[in-house]
DNA sequence: TCGGACTGGGTGATGCGTCAACATCACGAT
DNA sequence: ATCGTGATGTTGACGCATCACCCAGTCCGA
């Protein structure tokens, strides 16, 4: 049992800045989506792959792979979205276990209304605030950290 | 109505890496805290300022300033933590509206059990993965983005 | 001093996120 | 053919996060 290596001042500063950034960035995006299109971030995440799919239809399984959520979370989310008329569920012809999710007209209208403002917000609060060098560093760092989490089985 | 400036490939790659990192990092920390001390991230956030306060007692107001949450969120959280015996609520002598939160022995034991592993996890998946230059860039970028959110009233 | 505004805190409702448990179906080995 | 195993999807429960709203106490100026 060795003594923990506590964070020094500059390390703690970085860590706190990260925590605050994550929280406030998420809040800013959620608010913008809610305000401009009545969507949550989770709604948006589901609508994007659906809007890019042929005929706006995907199996739950494929949709789950696209958003990289577990089945439970996706099922709950789709149920809520179905209740609000953003998507519709249908049976799957090829596999009796399966379930298809179809983007409704209202769902397509919502994502199309939300997307331009959303990307503008991503630029305003993130991308456009960074220099080219900084973007390169951040991409490198983020992907490395993701790999670390992945190879460590921490996900 | 001008055309939205969609993200190009490298910009989208950075944005996706950020989203995945945030999600997986949060999951890794929550799991570690839950596993090693039976605490959630929200529990930990509340316990830290309490453990640093004189006598382990803070007014709700001060506690709220420390964690920077709104009153409702803090009230819900403290209620759940009180039910589990991590904190106790007392009346405030100076202000009849006030409410004091006291760290219990169980609460102190929990935070002391959790902290070393928590900081090790922060190092393992974040701080220790970065070079000195990268830490400097990230601190600078994160603080700039936070300022941008702040000055824009986006919080 | 009194009346209105503000502050401190709590509650209920609702959506998000996770875990455990369950039911159904597919599929390969025997 | 059937049995076991894994894949697919759903549900219930519970904690986190936010919003709208409420109540009580404090404060300050007319």
């Amino acid at each position: 049992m060795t003594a923990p290596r506590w964070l020094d001042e500059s390390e703690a500063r970085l860590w706190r800045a990260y925590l605050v950034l994550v929280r406030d960035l998420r809040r800013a995006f959620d608010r913008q989506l809610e305000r401009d299109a009545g969507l949550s971030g989770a709604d948006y995440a589901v609508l994007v792959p659906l809007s890019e799919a042929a005929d706006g239809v995907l199996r739950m399984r494929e949709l789950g792979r696209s958003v990289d959520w577990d089945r439970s979370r996706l099922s709950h989310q789709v149920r809520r979205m179905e209740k609000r008329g953003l998507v519709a569920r249908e049976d799957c012809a090829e596999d009796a276990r399966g379930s298809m999710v179809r983007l409704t007209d209202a769902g397509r209208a919502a994502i199309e209304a939300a997307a331009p403002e959303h990307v503008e917000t991503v630029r305003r609060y993130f991308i456009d605030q960074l220099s080219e060098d900084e973007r390169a560093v951040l991409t490198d760092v983020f992907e490395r950290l993701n790999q670390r989490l992945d190879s460590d089985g921490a996900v």
Side-chain angles (χ1 to χ4, degrees), chain A:
Chain A
M1 187 60 192
T2 71
R5 295 157 48 229
W6 302 109
L7 302 185
D8 68 28
E9 187 170 347
S10 83
E11 290 166 340
R13 181 173 159 196
L14 170 55
W15 180 237
R16 274 195 305 270
Y18 169 80
L19 292 175
V20 170
L21 178 65
V22 164
R23 185 192 57 182
D24 291 350
L25 220 40
R26 170 179 299 268
R27 196 140 55 183
F29 289 122
D30 285 350
R31 285 225 255 260
Q32 174 268 314
L33 282 173
E34 173 65 34
R35 174 169 46 79
D36 292 334
L39 296 177
S40 68
D43 294 332
Y44 191 83
V46 168
L47 291 177
V48 166
L50 276 177
S51 70
E52 290 168 349
D55 304 322
V57 179
L58 282 178
R59 260 191 87 159
M60 285 288 280
R61 183 181 49 174
E62 305 310 324
L63 187 50
R65 288 200 221 291
S66 291
V67 294
D68 193 21
W69 294 353
D70 68 18
R71 297 192 301 276
S72 173
R73 179 177 174 189
L74 183 59
S75 179
H76 284 303
Q77 183 65 34
V78 168
R79 178 178 44 74
R80 285 190 296 264
M81 293 174 71
E82 186 179 28
K83 192 162 52 178
R84 290 160 50 213
L86 295 172
V87 299
R89 272 192 280 205
E90 305 173 356
D91 289 341
C92 178
E94 304 92 53
D95 187 332
R97 294 170 300 182
S99 189
M100 311 296 291
V101 184
R102 175 181 300 277
L103 189 58
T104 64
D105 291 346
R108 191 173 293 278
I111 179 75
E112 285 175 357
E117 279 303 320
H118 180 66
V119 66
E120 263 314 308
T121 306
V122 173
R123 288 196 170 282
R124 175 190 315 273
Y125 293 126
F126 191 73
I127 296 288
D128 286 358
Q129 301 297 318
L130 308 175
S131 71
E132 194 164 340
D133 286 351
E134 288 170 338
R135 288 201 302 271
V137 171
L138 262 63
T139 302
D140 190 56
V141 164
F142 290 172
E143 291 183 345
R144 184 164 75 241
L145 294 176
N146 280 327
Q147 273 188 337
R148 172 78 164 124
L149 284 161
D150 214 44
S151 67
D152 224 59
V155 288

